[in-house]
Structures are given as structure tokens and as C-alpha cells.
Amino acid sequence: MFFFFRDSVCLQKTASTGNLYKRSEKWYDINMCGIFGVYNVEEASKLTYLGLYALQHRGQESAGIASSDGAKIHSLVKMGLVSDIFSPDVFAGLPGRSAIGHCRYSTTGTSSIKNAQPLTVSYCRGQLAMAHNGNLVNADLLRSVLEADGSIFSSTTDTEVIIHLLAQSKKNTFEDMLVDSLKKVNGAFSLVVLTEKELIGVVDPWNFRPLSIGKKDNGYVLASETCAFDIIDAEYIRAVEPGEMIIINENGLRSIKPFKPQRPKKCIFEFIYFSRPDSYIFGQSVQKARKALGAELAKECKITAADCVIPVPDSANSAATGYASESGTPYEIGIIRNHYIGRTFIEPSQAIRDFGAKIKYNPVKEILNNKDLLVIDDSIVRGTTSRKLVKMLRKAGAKQVHWRISSPPITHPCFYGVDTPTRAELIGASHTVEEIKKYLKVESLCYLSADGMVKAVGGKKEDYCMACFCGEYPVEFNKEPDKMEFER
Ligand code: AMP
């Protein structure tokens, strides 16, 4: 059977004239990551380790630290979790009072130490290390040009494109070389860059990904999320602004805005799913936004009578508290999530039904048995986990299951740094809410509207990137025909 993609909830350009976009088949690589940097602090690499520990939710595939002792950059980058990579003995090899760190999200096909960051290189002026969160949309084009000119790449990350551009820049200072290279790239970049003497933080003019500045004793800290400041007792100063470059060196902290200003397009999905609720991103509290998303959802879905509100842990915990208080329904912990799942687990040869879901979630039968439930989740991607969870809740004795989503249907993949599957795999791209309800086998299904989402997070709709919900990509690339068919 063939089907056409549905219009998305917040499409302003209609689907008939709108463009669909496709990942480049050539060497596309997702940079959904956590980045961190410190300047002029005691034990810089240990503080970076702690910062990465707090940012671990942003990427679990690989992690790394590069430190500077003032004359030389030292680095350690490995596959795995932060706590597995950095043992007490490695810090002697990461000396100095400044450092940067990176943790990288796991994606299919690109899991390789070659792509682990920070990338540390030597160039005509010395050494530099770079850690990147976000995705450049013209990286494949730039890479082709650079390769034709003789550049030899050692990874498939778009971050390396920035480094090659920088190395070729004819500008006189490092700062100007970096600006020169970043003016040639398009898309999402939040970067921390370390040289022997400086720490630089920079955010693209759309501000797709967050980056904040903190103060630690006589030094400074930069991090994707402020939960990384809390763990090292750093004081939050403010968010790095769209298109802002922060230069930290022996003269203190300086800010420049070297890029052509754009209308900011902060990733709204950071508030919905990606960031930790105890963080501030883009200058706003994630917890406050998430709770408001839940409350708004309760208002929009008109209150459905149920015995309790339960979240799909952990990403929907805060939204569920908002839903519970707005609807006056008791909040219960009905699903427990196991946090200690490694990358692989050994399945017994005798098949266990729904093993994939069981390894991560377990129902609290005491809460669920004979109950009508309002289950809150932050999003539906493919629908597969949600469907398994519904089955699990029923088996645990739930009478009615009402599914509530604190964001609109995801209809389009992200090309700016969040790992989403292709359009063909996104259930919200091809199915109506009624069809998804049937697929999940729930009594009712309700999504938050795009307007409700913006109202909850605060600010203007135009200031957010909502491409995954709308298909309106603020920075264009690889246009595809406006209608696509897929076999179901
Ligand atoms: P599914 O059941 O396959 O639709 O997956 C839904 C779950 O995936 C929700 O509980 C979300 O919290 C979670 N989720 C949403 N976006 C992502 C993402 N980019 N990476 C991993 N999990 C996600």
C-alpha cells in the first residue's frame, strides 16, 4: 500500500508548496552532543570531567577532554560513557588550567572513534581543540570543495570541515581565522574552541543549540546546559546570544558579534525532550517550560477523568506534574525506568516477549491494577516504544489507557543536531492522530498543539525552530520533490 505524508500541524507554507528535505546520503553525521569548557581554574580537566558527567544525557557514544597547560594541548578521547573513560590516573595526562570537553550522541552507521571529539589538531599557528554541538547543512558541499583543493579528512564529522576552513584562512589572528571559517558554514553550531592560550565559545546566528556562560572562582565556564555549572559550583552568568562569540584569555572575557544577524531559531525540542529539567537553556528554565507544557496539554485535551496521571520516565516527569496539577488528578509513579542499561545486553536464547521494552521499563502493578490512566509522554517518534508500553500497562492490570503527548506530532526529521529517523519512519508524518491511536491501542490520544507548545515555553513562535513539527527549515538545503511516496 502507498500513502502520502500528512500536512504538519504548524505548516505556514502549505504542504503542496512546501519542500521536503532529505539527509545527504553521502556522509551525513549527527552532532547531538554536550559541550563544556573552562578557563583559568584549578584542575581544569577534572572539572571538565564533572561537567561532562552532568551532560551525559546529551550523548553517550563517546567522550573526550582536551586541556591546555599554556604551551601545549593534551587530549584523551574514547568511545563509551564519561564514567568509564576517565579513571583517576588519566588526569595527570591532562594538565593545565583550561580545558574543553565533549560527549557525543550515538547514531547508526557513524559510531567511530574517528568522529569522537574534541578534535585536536596542529596547524600553522600551533594547536587547537574543538568541540561542536549542532549540524552544518552545507558541510558535504564544503568538504567536496576542500577535498578537491587537496584537504585530507580523517573523520566524517562536519566539525572537521570548520577546522580545514580555519587552517586555510588567510586572516592574521586566530579569532579572525575562526570567524572567517564560520562565515562559510551554514546551519547549527555551538562550539567551544581551545588554543594554548584561549578559550572561545561561539553560537550560530540562529542559536539552534544552547550555550551558557558561568563564572568559577577567577575563571570562566561554558556549557550546553547549566546543570554542568551546578556540579562544579560555578555561578550562571547568562546564555551566549545568537551569533555571539565569547573570547576568554588573560585579558578576561570579551564578546563580539561577527556574523550577519538572523531571526533566532532556538530548538524548541530542547525544552520538550532533550535538556535536563534542572538546566537553564537559552536563558530559560527547562523545568518551568516542561511543567507548563503539561498544564497546557491538560487544558487543550479537555480533562479526561482518570484515577491517576503517570509519566513515561524520565523525560515526561515534569510535564506530567503540570498535567496532574492542572487537571486535579493524582500524580503516580506507574512505570520505573532502569538507568543502568549499557550499549548491549545479552538476551536469553529462550525468547522473552517485548524484551526490548522490558529491559528499560517495568510497570508498578500496585499503582496500575484496575486503574484508568492518563499517561504523559513528551513525544512520539516511531510509536514503537509507546505501543509496547501500552501493552505492558494493560498486562499490569490497567483498565483504560489515555495517551497524552506534551508536543505536536513529529512529522519531519531534524537536520540541525537532534537525532530523528527519516520521514518514512516517523509515525506522525504518515498517520492521522486517529490512526496512531489505533496503532497504540489506547482509549484516547491527544497531542499538544503547536500554539499551545509555544505558549507554554514562552516567547514568539518565530523565535523557535519547530522544523520537526512543521517542516519549515530555517536554513535550507537539499531540496526534494514536494511529494514522496513510500511503501507501507
Ligand atoms: P517511540 O515510542 O518510538 O515513538 O519513542 C518515543 C519515545 O522516544 C518518547 O518517550 C521520547 O521521550 C523519546 N524520544 C524522543 N525523541 C528522541 C530522540 N531524539 N532520541 C531518543 N529518544 C527520543
Side-chain angles (χ1 to χ4, degrees), residues 44-56:
S45 54
K46 276 195 185 156
L47 294 192
T48 304
Y49 157 78
L50 292 172
L52 291 181
Y53 204 89
L55 296 172
Q56 184 76 85

Side-chain angles (χ1 to χ4, degrees), residues 52-300:
L52 291 181
Y53 204 89
L55 296 172
Q56 184 76 85
H57 61 288
R58 296 184 71 88
Q60 303 88 38
E61 180 189 87
S62 64
I65 294 176
S67 71
S68 170
D69 59 12
K72 192 170 181 294
I73 293 185
H74 309 259
S75 111
L76 176 69
V77 174
K78 279 191 179 175
M79 302 301 286
L81 295 174
V82 173
S83 55
D84 296 335
I85 297 171
F86 300 98
S87 51
D89 50 306
V90 302
F91 293 99
L94 294 167
R97 294 182 63 83
S98 56
I100 60 168
H102 186 270
C103 51
R104 184 169 185 272
Y105 194 79
S106 159
T107 54
T108 48
T110 58
S111 178
S112 161
I113 187 68
K114 282 189 296 186
N115 291 335
Q117 297 191 20
L119 294 179
T120 302
V121 295
S122 296
Y123 73 116
C124 59
R125 289 172 179 274
Q127 284 182 296
L128 73 92
M130 187 178 284
H132 175 199
N133 178 205
N135 248 88
L136 307 178
V137 296
N138 63 340
D140 47 358
L141 183 73
L142 289 170
R143 182 178 168 132
S144 309
V145 174
L146 286 160
E147 280 177 334
D149 277 354
S151 293
I152 298 171
F153 281 76
S154 59
S155 76
T156 58
T157 69
D158 48 2
T159 315
E160 202 184 342
V161 170
I162 303 174
I163 289 178
H164 280 275
L165 289 170
L166 192 145
Q168 290 194 355
S169 171
K170 301 282 179 282
K171 299 285 179 189
N172 290 325
T173 65
F174 177 74
E175 188 183 314
D176 288 344
M177 288 168 85
L178 182 60
V179 170
D180 195 30
S181 64
L182 292 174
K183 280 185 176 170
K184 297 189 174 89
V185 303
N186 227 346
F189 59 82
S190 284
L191 296 174
V192 285
V193 187
L194 185 72
T195 66
E196 296 91 338
K197 307 270 184 220
E198 273 181 330
L199 170 67
I200 295 182
V202 56
V203 167
D204 65 72
W206 296 273
N207 200 183
F208 285 106
R209 305 271 142 238
L211 187 66
S212 292
I213 314 169
K215 186 102 186 67
K216 171 75 182 166
D217 306 327
N218 293 323
Y220 289 98
V221 195
L222 299 167
S224 301
E225 294 182 37
T226 61
C227 61
F229 296 163
D230 300 338
I231 194 169
I232 61 161
D233 272 341
E235 185 197 336
Y236 170 53
I237 303 177
R238 65 173 174 89
V240 178
E241 289 174 11
E244 187 177 14
M245 183 181 271
I246 302 290
I247 302 114
I248 307 166
N249 55 28
E250 60 185 2
N251 301 319
L253 184 149
R254 189 160 52 84
S255 156
I256 56 168
K257 290 219 171 157
F259 310 113
K260 189 171 160 234
Q262 303 283 348
R263 176 115 211 178
K265 291 286 172 191
K266 298 169 277 181
C267 169
I268 205 156
F269 203 64
E270 289 273 356
F271 288 105
I272 288 157
Y273 167 78
F274 204 32
S275 294
R276 263 172 54 162
D278 51 340
S279 286
Y280 286 77
I281 55 163
F282 306 119
Q284 287 169 254
S285 155
V286 178
Q287 166 66 9
K288 193 174 163 205
R290 238 170 243 183
K291 209 171 165 188
L293 286 162
E296 204 55 39
L297 179 66
K299 280 185 213 157
E300 281 191 9

